[in-house]
Amino acid sequence: MAKGGVAVVGAGPSGAASALLLARAGYEVVVLERARFPRDKPCGEGLMPPGVAVLRRLGLLERIVATGACRLDGVAYTHPGGSPTVFAPFPPPPGGGSAWGLGVRRLSFDAELAAALHREPNVTLLEETTVRGIHRRGPRIVGVQTSAGLLEADVVVGADGLHSRVRRLAGWAISRRSPARYGLVGHWHVHTADRTAITVTLAKDHEWYEAPVGTEELLVSTLGGRAYAKATAQDYARATRAEIPSLLHAEPIGVQLAAGDFHQRPEYIARDGLFLVGDAAGYHDPTTGEGLGVGLQLAEALSLRIDDMLTGRTSPEEAAARYARDHDELWRNRRRVTALALFMAAHPAFSRRAVSRARTRPQTLSRLLGINCGYYSFLRLTPLDWMTLAGV
Ligand SMILES: Cc1cc2nc3c(=O)[nH]c(=O)nc-3n(C[C@H](O)[C@H](O)[C@H](O)COP(=O)(O)OP(=O)(O)OC[C@H]3O[C@@H](n4cnc5c(N)ncnc54)[C@H](O)[C@@H]3O)c2cc1C
């Protein structure tokens, strides 16, 4: 007999991982997803090494790799015109394990996760089912109103992305940061066998990101302010060719997608029987590309906290408080790396000096990647690292 019932809103990576883990912990899980898979999602499609580790623990890594996902060994930072450039490899995880990430095409990555949900005993995935309301008994949230009717549950998990409707329905305020940043995402027909890194081009008021996501498919996204994103969207192919010379003779594939107003911090991430996970639990900026990995890691913490709560090992209040701490621990140092990356991106004089200096000391950037992977804290940066970043 199931230990209880959980409703998960959203079958993106965070919702899918949460549902799989809760089902494996003995719960009956219903996942409500408004889209039908395969569905696309604007994303830089770079899964950092800790996210790969979660896929391995879930037993899904081989299937994901088989979809054509590309191994990523690190990040190359460059500037318009191609110089200065430096490559920083992902450092090894302190506890052992592999140091590589994956370029994952969201169309196939998310579809593979959805297929895992369909295979999993104790999980029911309802596609094309939209959550429109939350159901309360007193202050507690005990279910959701969906386009297919009412679903009652012991716990509701909001995994419905950046602009979470569940979070809004719960009445939880969010803080935003101005000016907002936006992203535009496209794909190009490019032979990617010689690409094993994410390439970041720092171009003053915007950045470009390239990641191989298939043998013949390169993701090319750009991030910047609203006016920049709007202007670039008018002729994405021309703007991309103008700033990324290697794409001069390449052709874009399919349509471009946009997303934005990234910085969202909710006042709660768990309360009254509702737990948020992934982007719904708050997000900062895609510049350092950790949303997917953190969402998967947070799903692991979420399933433990919900299990503790529903088996009576902790009170609901304690489970919510511990989960908020898990969330904070995952993000605290990463937020600082993101702030540093945004500063560099906005100040090319600094980023050029830092990248030039890092060519002889790439370990500084590898250490930053390690902090961004959650391997160690910001205090790990040495005075020499700070000098490197200052271009000295
Ligand atoms: C331009 C850009 C570049 C990025 N680059 C990277 C990167 O390189 N690496 C990285 O790790 N991350 C990156 N990110 C972030 C990453 O895309 C997110 O962190 C990740 O998708 C979060 O996953 P999630 O499962 O929380 O939410 P999502 O992937 O957004 O999934 C939410 C799901 O909920 C469903 N849903 C929404 N509302 C409802 C409803 N009412 N009822 C039912 N279902 C609903 C949606 O259809 C969707 O399937 C980037 C994001 C952007 C926008």
Side-chain angles (χ1 to χ4, degrees):
M1 207 179 89
K3 285 153 88 182
V6 181
V8 177
V9 186
S14 314
S18 304
L20 289 172
L21 288 161
L22 284 161
R24 290 172 192 180
Y27 296 90
E28 196 66 47
V29 184
V30 179
V31 185
L32 306 141
E33 168 56 54
R34 70 178 173 199
R36 172 158 293 279
F37 292 97
R39 66 103 179 86
D40 216 342
K41 149 85 179 80
C43 181
E45 302 187 332
L47 179 66
M48 298 297 128
V52 173
V54 178
L55 292 181
R56 185 179 280 118
R57 290 194 285 277
L58 284 170
L60 293 175
L61 183 55
E62 279 181 17
R63 285 180 186 268
I64 298 296
V65 170
T67 64
C70 299
R71 184 178 153 135
L72 299 171
D73 293 325
V75 183
Y77 298 91
T78 187
H79 292 84
S83 168
T85 297
V86 65
F87 169 72
F90 290 124
S98 41
W100 42 272
L102 279 176
V104 289
R105 182 72 183 88
R106 290 294 297 267
L107 200 61
S108 40
F109 178 60
D110 292 32
E112 194 54 52
L113 295 176
L117 292 177
H118 281 303
R119 281 194 305 274
E120 188 74 20
N122 293 345
V123 175
T124 306
L125 168 60
L126 300 175
E127 299 181 44
E128 294 181 288
T129 306
T130 301
V131 168
R132 295 182 176 148
I134 52 175
H135 179 55
R136 288 186 188 263
R137 195 166 296 127
R140 282 199 72 72
I141 293 164
V142 291
V144 285
Q145 297 284 353
T146 82
S147 50
L150 173 68
L151 175 72
E152 295 201 74
D154 296 307
V155 170
V156 174
V157 174
D160 51 343
L162 189 63
H163 301 286
S164 167
R165 186 170 182 177
V166 170
R167 184 178 72 196
R168 201 170 58 244
L169 289 165
W172 298 354
I174 52 162
S175 61
R176 290 201 164 88
R177 182 175 292 158
S178 186
R181 298 229 310 156
Y182 292 80
L184 197 62
V185 174
H187 295 86
W188 291 71
H189 190 250
V190 170
H191 193 56
T192 59
D194 56 344
R195 290 182 180 251
T196 57
I198 297 169
T199 303
V200 181
T201 305
L202 303 162
K204 194 169 179 186
D205 64 342
H206 61 276
E207 311 97 64
W208 291 91
Y209 300 80
E210 297 161 65
V213 294
T215 47
E216 299 289 335
E217 195 164 4
L218 184 74
L219 167 129
V220 183
S221 68
T222 186
L223 299 178
R226 189 188 177 92
Y228 164 75
K230 213 170 151 190
T232 309
Q234 314 237 311
D235 195 345
Y236 163 83
R238 190 201 54 75
T240 309
R241 289 196 183 102
E243 296 217 64
I244 308 198
S246 64
L247 297 178
L248 211 54
H249 303 294
E251 288 303 320
I253 309 168
V255 294
Q256 290 83 52
L257 298 173
D261 202 353
F262 298 122
H263 187 95
Q264 315 250 344
R265 266 183 112 161
E267 61 177 333
Y268 309 109
I269 65 158
R271 201 183 144 148
D272 302 334
L274 170 64
F275 286 71
L276 303 178
V277 68
D279 282 9
Y283 193 59
H284 309 283
D285 193 281
T287 191
T288 38
E290 66 288 88
L292 288 170
V294 169
L296 294 174
Q297 287 181 281
L298 194 58
E300 293 187 315
L302 174 99
S303 63
L304 294 176
R305 298 307 177 201
I306 289 180
D307 189 37
D308 282 348
M309 182 179 91
L310 292 181
T311 50
R313 282 193 293 270
T314 54
S315 67
E317 293 73 24
E318 185 58 25
R322 288 187 187 184
Y323 181 59
R325 279 202 295 278
D326 297 332
H327 179 264
D328 188 53
E329 269 167 33
L330 278 170
W331 275 114
R332 195 180 314 128
N333 284 296
R334 290 174 164 102
R335 273 201 293 266
R336 293 176 181 148
V337 179
T338 302
L340 182 61
L342 287 175
F343 175 83
M344 287 291 179
H347 298 87
F350 281 94
S351 70
R352 282 178 181 278
R353 276 170 37 196
V355 166
S356 294
R357 176 48 72 213
R359 281 198 304 216
T360 52
R361 296 187 209 136
Q363 62 275 20
T364 295
L365 297 182
S366 282
R367 256 195 282 282
L368 279 171
L369 290 177
I371 297 168
N372 202 47
C373 285
Y375 299 158
Y376 21 79
S377 96
F378 222 74
L379 298 174
R380 180 74 169 249
L381 291 181
T382 64
L384 189 62
D385 290 329
W386 285 110
M387 285 170 69
T388 307
L389 292 171
V392 182

mmCIF file of all heavy atoms in Angstrom, residues 108-149:
data_model
loop_
_atom_site.group_PDB
_atom_site.id
_atom_site.type_symbol
_atom_site.label_atom_id
_atom_site.label_comp_id
_atom_site.label_asym_id
_atom_site.label_seq_id
_atom_site.Cartn_x
_atom_site.Cartn_y
_atom_site.Cartn_z
ATOM 1 N N SER A 108 14.274 16.370 -26.568
ATOM 2 C CA SER A 108 14.413 14.931 -26.325
ATOM 3 C C SER A 108 14.696 14.621 -24.854
ATOM 4 O O SER A 108 14.249 13.582 -24.340
ATOM 5 C CB SER A 108 15.508 14.328 -27.218
ATOM 6 O OG SER A 108 16.596 15.192 -27.317
ATOM 7 N N PHE A 109 15.415 15.510 -24.165
ATOM 8 C CA PHE A 109 15.729 15.276 -22.744
ATOM 9 C C PHE A 109 14.439 15.192 -21.924
ATOM 10 O O PHE A 109 14.200 14.218 -21.197
ATOM 11 C CB PHE A 109 16.615 16.427 -22.241
ATOM 12 C CG PHE A 109 17.001 16.375 -20.794
ATOM 13 C CD1 PHE A 109 17.728 15.303 -20.294
ATOM 14 C CD2 PHE A 109 16.666 17.410 -19.923
ATOM 15 C CE1 PHE A 109 18.112 15.263 -18.950
ATOM 16 C CE2 PHE A 109 17.039 17.370 -18.586
ATOM 17 C CZ PHE A 109 17.757 16.301 -18.099
ATOM 18 N N ASP A 110 13.590 16.201 -22.061
ATOM 19 C CA ASP A 110 12.355 16.218 -21.269
ATOM 20 C C ASP A 110 11.426 15.078 -21.681
ATOM 21 O O ASP A 110 10.723 14.501 -20.843
ATOM 22 C CB ASP A 110 11.657 17.580 -21.409
ATOM 23 C CG ASP A 110 12.440 18.723 -20.747
ATOM 24 O OD1 ASP A 110 13.679 18.648 -20.741
ATOM 25 O OD2 ASP A 110 11.819 19.666 -20.249
ATOM 26 N N ALA A 111 11.441 14.738 -22.980
ATOM 27 C CA ALA A 111 10.591 13.626 -23.441
ATOM 28 C C ALA A 111 11.071 12.302 -22.835
ATOM 29 O O ALA A 111 10.262 11.434 -22.478
ATOM 30 C CB ALA A 111 10.606 13.550 -24.967
ATOM 31 N N GLU A 112 12.382 12.156 -22.691
ATOM 32 C CA GLU A 112 12.925 10.926 -22.096
ATOM 33 C C GLU A 112 12.559 10.841 -20.615
ATOM 34 O O GLU A 112 12.245 9.761 -20.093
ATOM 35 C CB GLU A 112 14.454 10.913 -22.286
ATOM 36 C CG GLU A 112 15.127 9.587 -22.036
ATOM 37 C CD GLU A 112 14.546 8.438 -22.848
ATOM 38 O OE1 GLU A 112 14.426 8.563 -24.077
ATOM 39 O OE2 GLU A 112 14.207 7.401 -22.232
ATOM 40 N N LEU A 113 12.579 11.997 -19.933
ATOM 41 C CA LEU A 113 12.159 12.002 -18.522
ATOM 42 C C LEU A 113 10.669 11.664 -18.408
ATOM 43 O O LEU A 113 10.245 10.928 -17.504
ATOM 44 C CB LEU A 113 12.441 13.369 -17.879
ATOM 45 C CG LEU A 113 13.919 13.761 -17.761
ATOM 46 C CD1 LEU A 113 14.059 15.171 -17.190
ATOM 47 C CD2 LEU A 113 14.679 12.781 -16.881
ATOM 48 N N ALA A 114 9.886 12.193 -19.343
ATOM 49 C CA ALA A 114 8.441 11.885 -19.326
ATOM 50 C C ALA A 114 8.226 10.391 -19.586
ATOM 51 O O ALA A 114 7.360 9.758 -18.957
ATOM 52 C CB ALA A 114 7.715 12.717 -20.380
ATOM 53 N N ALA A 115 9.037 9.811 -20.474
ATOM 54 C CA ALA A 115 8.917 8.371 -20.744
ATOM 55 C C ALA A 115 9.237 7.581 -19.475
ATOM 56 O O ALA A 115 8.592 6.556 -19.180
ATOM 57 C CB ALA A 115 9.860 7.979 -21.886
ATOM 58 N N ALA A 116 10.216 8.070 -18.703
ATOM 59 C CA ALA A 116 10.565 7.389 -17.438
ATOM 60 C C ALA A 116 9.379 7.453 -16.473
ATOM 61 O O ALA A 116 9.105 6.489 -15.739
ATOM 62 C CB ALA A 116 11.798 8.042 -16.819
ATOM 63 N N LEU A 117 8.655 8.582 -16.487
ATOM 64 C CA LEU A 117 7.470 8.695 -15.618
ATOM 65 C C LEU A 117 6.402 7.690 -16.052
ATOM 66 O O LEU A 117 5.759 7.051 -15.216
ATOM 67 C CB LEU A 117 6.903 10.119 -15.675
ATOM 68 C CG LEU A 117 7.753 11.223 -15.055
ATOM 69 C CD1 LEU A 117 7.100 12.581 -15.254
ATOM 70 C CD2 LEU A 117 7.963 10.968 -13.558
ATOM 71 N N HIS A 118 6.212 7.554 -17.364
ATOM 72 C CA HIS A 118 5.198 6.602 -17.846
ATOM 73 C C HIS A 118 5.567 5.160 -17.482
ATOM 74 O O HIS A 118 4.700 4.329 -17.255
ATOM 75 C CB HIS A 118 5.033 6.734 -19.367
ATOM 76 C CG HIS A 118 4.176 7.916 -19.771
ATOM 77 N ND1 HIS A 118 2.885 8.091 -19.318
ATOM 78 C CD2 HIS A 118 4.424 8.977 -20.579
ATOM 79 C CE1 HIS A 118 2.372 9.205 -19.835
ATOM 80 N NE2 HIS A 118 3.294 9.766 -20.604
ATOM 81 N N ARG A 119 6.869 4.870 -17.421
ATOM 82 C CA ARG A 119 7.300 3.495 -17.094
ATOM 83 C C ARG A 119 7.202 3.204 -15.602
ATOM 84 O O ARG A 119 7.126 2.052 -15.193
ATOM 85 C CB ARG A 119 8.785 3.307 -17.495
ATOM 86 C CG ARG A 119 9.072 3.072 -18.949
ATOM 87 C CD ARG A 119 10.499 2.557 -19.132
ATOM 88 N NE ARG A 119 11.517 3.397 -18.543
ATOM 89 C CZ ARG A 119 12.090 4.446 -19.146
ATOM 90 N NH1 ARG A 119 11.762 4.755 -20.368
ATOM 91 N NH2 ARG A 119 13.015 5.159 -18.526
ATOM 92 N N GLU A 120 7.252 4.251 -14.783
ATOM 93 C CA GLU A 120 7.436 4.059 -13.340
ATOM 94 C C GLU A 120 6.143 3.588 -12.653
ATOM 95 O O GLU A 120 5.111 4.260 -12.742
ATOM 96 C CB GLU A 120 7.883 5.388 -12.722
ATOM 97 C CG GLU A 120 8.287 5.323 -11.275
ATOM 98 C CD GLU A 120 9.639 4.653 -11.053
ATOM 99 O OE1 GLU A 120 10.437 4.568 -12.006
ATOM 100 O OE2 GLU A 120 9.873 4.205 -9.923
ATOM 101 N N PRO A 121 6.201 2.434 -11.946
ATOM 102 C CA PRO A 121 5.025 2.055 -11.157
ATOM 103 C C PRO A 121 4.785 3.142 -10.102
ATOM 104 O O PRO A 121 5.735 3.793 -9.662
ATOM 105 C CB PRO A 121 5.457 0.742 -10.475
ATOM 106 C CG PRO A 121 6.750 0.349 -11.078
ATOM 107 C CD PRO A 121 7.345 1.530 -11.746
ATOM 108 N N ASN A 122 3.580 3.376 -9.720
ATOM 109 C CA ASN A 122 3.218 4.402 -8.714
ATOM 110 C C ASN A 122 3.239 5.831 -9.249
ATOM 111 O O ASN A 122 3.061 6.775 -8.479
ATOM 112 C CB ASN A 122 4.105 4.359 -7.456
ATOM 113 C CG ASN A 122 3.899 3.104 -6.658
ATOM 114 O OD1 ASN A 122 2.916 2.386 -6.873
ATOM 115 N ND2 ASN A 122 4.828 2.821 -5.767
ATOM 116 N N VAL A 123 3.537 6.014 -10.550
ATOM 117 C CA VAL A 123 3.425 7.369 -11.116
ATOM 118 C C VAL A 123 2.384 7.368 -12.217
ATOM 119 O O VAL A 123 2.385 6.480 -13.085
ATOM 120 C CB VAL A 123 4.760 7.861 -11.727
ATOM 121 C CG1 VAL A 123 4.563 9.225 -12.412
ATOM 122 C CG2 VAL A 123 5.847 7.984 -10.660
ATOM 123 N N THR A 124 1.482 8.337 -12.172
ATOM 124 C CA THR A 124 0.573 8.566 -13.297
ATOM 125 C C THR A 124 0.895 9.937 -13.868
ATOM 126 O O THR A 124 0.814 10.935 -13.142
ATOM 127 C CB THR A 124 -0.902 8.563 -12.820
ATOM 128 O OG1 THR A 124 -1.133 7.350 -12.114
ATOM 129 C CG2 THR A 124 -1.860 8.679 -13.992
ATOM 130 N N LEU A 125 1.315 9.972 -15.118
ATOM 131 C CA LEU A 125 1.582 11.264 -15.762
ATOM 132 C C LEU A 125 0.388 11.620 -16.635
ATOM 133 O O LEU A 125 0.058 10.899 -17.575
ATOM 134 C CB LEU A 125 2.865 11.176 -16.609
ATOM 135 C CG LEU A 125 3.114 12.352 -17.571
ATOM 136 C CD1 LEU A 125 3.219 13.683 -16.823
ATOM 137 C CD2 LEU A 125 4.388 12.111 -18.393
ATOM 138 N N LEU A 126 -0.253 12.728 -16.295
ATOM 139 C CA LEU A 126 -1.386 13.201 -17.094
ATOM 140 C C LEU A 126 -0.917 14.375 -17.942
ATOM 141 O O LEU A 126 -0.707 15.484 -17.416
ATOM 142 C CB LEU A 126 -2.543 13.628 -16.189
ATOM 143 C CG LEU A 126 -3.113 12.546 -15.262
ATOM 144 C CD1 LEU A 126 -4.178 13.135 -14.342
ATOM 145 C CD2 LEU A 126 -3.692 11.399 -16.091
ATOM 146 N N GLU A 127 -0.687 14.131 -19.225
ATOM 147 C CA GLU A 127 -0.277 15.212 -20.120
ATOM 148 C C GLU A 127 -1.521 15.999 -20.552
ATOM 149 O O GLU A 127 -2.643 15.540 -20.383
ATOM 150 C CB GLU A 127 0.459 14.627 -21.327
ATOM 151 C CG GLU A 127 1.729 13.873 -20.913
ATOM 152 C CD GLU A 127 2.513 13.299 -22.082
ATOM 153 O OE1 GLU A 127 2.681 14.001 -23.081
ATOM 154 O OE2 GLU A 127 2.939 12.130 -21.982
ATOM 155 N N GLU A 128 -1.279 17.175 -21.100
ATOM 156 C CA GLU A 128 -2.364 18.073 -21.520
ATOM 157 C C GLU A 128 -3.384 18.282 -20.405
ATOM 158 O O GLU A 128 -4.591 18.299 -20.632
ATOM 159 C CB GLU A 128 -3.036 17.525 -22.784
ATOM 160 C CG GLU A 128 -2.080 17.554 -23.968
ATOM 161 C CD GLU A 128 -2.693 17.037 -25.251
ATOM 162 O OE1 GLU A 128 -2.897 15.820 -25.352
ATOM 163 O OE2 GLU A 128 -2.980 17.862 -26.118
ATOM 164 N N THR A 129 -2.865 18.387 -19.196
ATOM 165 C CA THR A 129 -3.713 18.633 -18.032
ATOM 166 C C THR A 129 -3.144 19.837 -17.283
ATOM 167 O O THR A 129 -2.039 19.777 -16.759
ATOM 168 C CB THR A 129 -3.732 17.385 -17.109
ATOM 169 O OG1 THR A 129 -4.113 16.259 -17.892
ATOM 170 C CG2 THR A 129 -4.687 17.562 -15.950
ATOM 171 N N THR A 130 -3.911 20.914 -17.263
ATOM 172 C CA THR A 130 -3.425 22.171 -16.685
ATOM 173 C C THR A 130 -3.969 22.365 -15.287
ATOM 174 O O THR A 130 -5.169 22.154 -15.054
ATOM 175 C CB THR A 130 -3.870 23.351 -17.582
ATOM 176 O OG1 THR A 130 -3.331 23.138 -18.884
ATOM 177 C CG2 THR A 130 -3.373 24.687 -17.053
ATOM 178 N N VAL A 131 -3.102 22.772 -14.380
ATOM 179 C CA VAL A 131 -3.555 23.105 -13.027
ATOM 180 C C VAL A 131 -4.017 24.554 -13.021
ATOM 181 O O VAL A 131 -3.284 25.452 -13.438
ATOM 182 C CB VAL A 131 -2.425 22.848 -12.001
ATOM 183 C CG1 VAL A 131 -2.772 23.465 -10.650
ATOM 184 C CG2 VAL A 131 -2.198 21.350 -11.868
ATOM 185 N N ARG A 132 -5.250 24.743 -12.546
ATOM 186 C CA ARG A 132 -5.849 26.090 -12.586
ATOM 187 C C ARG A 132 -6.137 26.648 -11.203
ATOM 188 O O ARG A 132 -6.434 27.833 -11.060
ATOM 189 C CB ARG A 132 -7.170 26.030 -13.350
ATOM 190 C CG ARG A 132 -6.941 25.674 -14.806
ATOM 191 C CD ARG A 132 -8.248 25.668 -15.553
ATOM 192 N NE ARG A 132 -8.017 25.432 -16.959
ATOM 193 C CZ ARG A 132 -8.852 24.800 -17.757
ATOM 194 N NH1 ARG A 132 -10.000 24.340 -17.290
ATOM 195 N NH2 ARG A 132 -8.575 24.629 -19.024
ATOM 196 N N GLY A 133 -6.112 25.778 -10.206
ATOM 197 C CA GLY A 133 -6.423 26.272 -8.865
ATOM 198 C C GLY A 133 -5.811 25.360 -7.822
ATOM 199 O O GLY A 133 -5.391 24.241 -8.128
ATOM 200 N N ILE A 134 -5.734 25.868 -6.582
ATOM 201 C CA ILE A 134 -5.302 24.979 -5.511
ATOM 202 C C ILE A 134 -6.486 24.761 -4.584
ATOM 203 O O ILE A 134 -7.365 25.614 -4.469
ATOM 204 C CB ILE A 134 -4.064 25.502 -4.757
ATOM 205 C CG1 ILE A 134 -4.268 26.928 -4.290
ATOM 206 C CG2 ILE A 134 -2.811 25.370 -5.581
ATOM 207 C CD1 ILE A 134 -3.130 27.417 -3.441
ATOM 208 N N HIS A 135 -6.476 23.605 -3.937
ATOM 209 C CA HIS A 135 -7.599 23.202 -3.112
ATOM 210 C C HIS A 135 -7.125 23.224 -1.659
ATOM 211 O O HIS A 135 -6.129 22.576 -1.328
ATOM 212 C CB HIS A 135 -8.004 21.788 -3.561
ATOM 213 C CG HIS A 135 -9.135 21.211 -2.798
ATOM 214 N ND1 HIS A 135 -10.346 21.846 -2.682
ATOM 215 C CD2 HIS A 135 -9.237 20.043 -2.116
ATOM 216 C CE1 HIS A 135 -11.144 21.084 -1.948
ATOM 217 N NE2 HIS A 135 -10.493 19.986 -1.600
ATOM 218 N N ARG A 136 -7.805 23.986 -0.820
ATOM 219 C CA ARG A 136 -7.380 24.107 0.583
ATOM 220 C C ARG A 136 -8.414 23.486 1.512
ATOM 221 O O ARG A 136 -9.612 23.481 1.228
ATOM 222 C CB ARG A 136 -7.240 25.581 0.974
ATOM 223 C CG ARG A 136 -6.042 26.290 0.357
ATOM 224 C CD ARG A 136 -5.940 27.701 0.960
ATOM 225 N NE ARG A 136 -4.945 28.503 0.281
ATOM 226 C CZ ARG A 136 -3.696 28.677 0.709
ATOM 227 N NH1 ARG A 136 -3.289 28.079 1.812
ATOM 228 N NH2 ARG A 136 -2.859 29.438 0.052
ATOM 229 N N ARG A 137 -7.901 22.967 2.637
ATOM 230 C CA ARG A 137 -8.785 22.617 3.760
ATOM 231 C C ARG A 137 -8.250 23.423 4.939
ATOM 232 O O ARG A 137 -7.143 23.138 5.413
ATOM 233 C CB ARG A 137 -8.723 21.107 4.029
ATOM 234 C CG ARG A 137 -9.847 20.617 4.913
ATOM 235 C CD ARG A 137 -9.991 19.095 4.900
ATOM 236 N NE ARG A 137 -10.355 18.548 3.596
ATOM 237 C CZ ARG A 137 -9.685 17.572 2.984
ATOM 238 N NH1 ARG A 137 -8.634 17.032 3.551
ATOM 239 N NH2 ARG A 137 -10.076 17.114 1.814
ATOM 240 N N GLY A 138 -8.954 24.482 5.320
ATOM 241 C CA GLY A 138 -8.375 25.438 6.264
ATOM 242 C C GLY A 138 -7.177 26.075 5.569
ATOM 243 O O GLY A 138 -7.204 26.338 4.367
ATOM 244 N N PRO A 139 -6.077 26.250 6.332
ATOM 245 C CA PRO A 139 -4.903 26.871 5.686
ATOM 246 C C PRO A 139 -4.125 25.882 4.823
ATOM 247 O O PRO A 139 -3.301 26.280 4.005
ATOM 248 C CB PRO A 139 -4.047 27.316 6.885
ATOM 249 C CG PRO A 139 -4.451 26.411 8.006
ATOM 250 C CD PRO A 139 -5.877 26.009 7.764
ATOM 251 N N ARG A 140 -4.390 24.581 4.997
ATOM 252 C CA ARG A 140 -3.551 23.583 4.302
ATOM 253 C C ARG A 140 -3.980 23.375 2.854
ATOM 254 O O ARG A 140 -5.167 23.362 2.527
ATOM 255 C CB ARG A 140 -3.611 22.225 5.024
ATOM 256 C CG ARG A 140 -2.745 22.190 6.264
ATOM 257 C CD ARG A 140 -2.447 20.775 6.698
ATOM 258 N NE ARG A 140 -1.506 20.072 5.822
ATOM 259 C CZ ARG A 140 -0.210 20.327 5.755
ATOM 260 N NH1 ARG A 140 0.309 21.281 6.499
ATOM 261 N NH2 ARG A 140 0.570 19.632 4.950
ATOM 262 N N ILE A 141 -2.968 23.221 2.017
ATOM 263 C CA ILE A 141 -3.214 22.939 0.604
ATOM 264 C C ILE A 141 -3.297 21.421 0.465
ATOM 265 O O ILE A 141 -2.338 20.707 0.788
ATOM 266 C CB ILE A 141 -2.093 23.556 -0.256
ATOM 267 C CG1 ILE A 141 -2.187 25.086 -0.158
ATOM 268 C CG2 ILE A 141 -2.185 23.095 -1.713
ATOM 269 C CD1 ILE A 141 -0.971 25.828 -0.627
ATOM 270 N N VAL A 142 -4.454 20.930 0.023
ATOM 271 C CA VAL A 142 -4.671 19.480 0.016
ATOM 272 C C VAL A 142 -5.061 18.972 -1.370
ATOM 273 O O VAL A 142 -5.686 17.918 -1.501
ATOM 274 C CB VAL A 142 -5.755 19.064 1.055
ATOM 275 C CG1 VAL A 142 -5.240 19.254 2.469
ATOM 276 C CG2 VAL A 142 -7.044 19.856 0.829
ATOM 277 N N GLY A 143 -4.698 19.730 -2.386
ATOM 278 C CA GLY A 143 -4.980 19.249 -3.730
ATOM 279 C C GLY A 143 -4.958 20.377 -4.740
ATOM 280 O O GLY A 143 -4.635 21.523 -4.406
ATOM 281 N N VAL A 144 -5.277 20.015 -5.976
ATOM 282 C CA VAL A 144 -5.276 21.015 -7.053
ATOM 283 C C VAL A 144 -6.515 20.849 -7.922
ATOM 284 O O VAL A 144 -7.053 19.745 -8.074
ATOM 285 C CB VAL A 144 -4.005 20.887 -7.945
ATOM 286 C CG1 VAL A 144 -2.780 21.440 -7.244
ATOM 287 C CG2 VAL A 144 -3.769 19.456 -8.398
ATOM 288 N N GLN A 145 -6.946 21.972 -8.472
ATOM 289 C CA GLN A 145 -8.024 21.966 -9.464
ATOM 290 C C GLN A 145 -7.359 21.895 -10.828
ATOM 291 O O GLN A 145 -6.503 22.731 -11.128
ATOM 292 C CB GLN A 145 -8.830 23.271 -9.396
ATOM 293 C CG GLN A 145 -9.559 23.516 -8.096
ATOM 294 C CD GLN A 145 -10.809 22.649 -7.978
ATOM 295 O OE1 GLN A 145 -11.203 21.960 -8.941
ATOM 296 N NE2 GLN A 145 -11.433 22.673 -6.815
ATOM 297 N N THR A 146 -7.746 20.921 -11.612
ATOM 298 C CA THR A 146 -7.100 20.781 -12.918
ATOM 299 C C THR A 146 -8.149 20.862 -14.022
ATOM 300 O O THR A 146 -9.352 20.809 -13.755
ATOM 301 C CB THR A 146 -6.362 19.426 -13.052
ATOM 302 O OG1 THR A 146 -7.322 18.427 -13.419
ATOM 303 C CG2 THR A 146 -5.683 19.024 -11.763
ATOM 304 N N SER A 147 -7.665 20.937 -15.258
ATOM 305 C CA SER A 147 -8.591 20.969 -16.383
ATOM 306 C C SER A 147 -9.363 19.658 -16.487
ATOM 307 O O SER A 147 -10.371 19.581 -17.186
ATOM 308 C CB SER A 147 -7.814 21.241 -17.684
ATOM 309 O OG SER A 147 -6.708 20.361 -17.784
ATOM 310 N N ALA A 148 -8.911 18.610 -15.740
ATOM 311 C CA ALA A 148 -9.625 17.325 -15.755
ATOM 312 C C ALA A 148 -10.390 17.094 -14.455
ATOM 313 O O ALA A 148 -10.930 16.010 -14.243
ATOM 314 C CB ALA A 148 -8.626 16.193 -15.993
ATOM 315 N N GLY A 149 -10.429 18.095 -13.571
ATOM 316 C CA GLY A 149 -11.167 17.950 -12.318
ATOM 317 C C GLY A 149 -10.285 18.115 -11.095
ATOM 318 O O GLY A 149 -9.105 18.469 -11.206
#
